[in-house]
Amino acid sequence: MRKNLTGALLQLALLVIGIPIVYLVAFPFGLTAKSLLPPLGLLAGLVVSGIMVKRTSQPVSGPLTGWLVFSACLALAFVL
């Protein structure tokens, strides 16, 4: 029960924290390939975390993977 709650909170945090980060990082640059990386990363992170939660018995690993995908897209946006 505790792992399920932790996984759900991590996934909710990805959504609650990710949306403001997307606005702060992506939209000041206008519509460019660089500005599309954070929103696509957030969407991909949510999809990947949902898939991972359904396929594994570890409910925390899905949201952590989602955070990893989102962070990788943010880092790529900053590098570009």
Side-chain angles (χ1 to χ4, degrees), residues 13-34:
L14 178 60
L15 192 61
V16 169
I17 295 170
I19 289 174
I21 290 175
V22 164
Y23 276 105
L24 288 173
V25 172
F27 290 107
F29 297 108
L31 192 60
T32 62
K34 180 180 180 179

Side-chain angles (χ1 to χ4, degrees), residues 2 13 51 55 72 78:
R2 179 169 228 138
I51 291 171
R55 293 190 176 209
F78 281 121

Side-chain angles (χ1 to χ4, degrees), residues 3-4 52-61:
K3 285 186 179 182
N4 287 339
M52 292 287 292
V53 163
K54 290 181 181 179
R55 293 190 176 209
T56 66
S57 59
Q58 298 284 338
V60 175
S61 66

Side-chain angles (χ1 to χ4, degrees), residues 49-76:
S49 66
I51 291 171
M52 292 287 292
V53 163
K54 290 181 181 179
R55 293 190 176 209
T56 66
S57 59
Q58 298 284 338
V60 175
S61 66
L64 290 177
T65 307
W67 272 102
L68 182 66
V69 170
F70 180 53
S71 301
C73 287
L74 280 178
L76 188 59

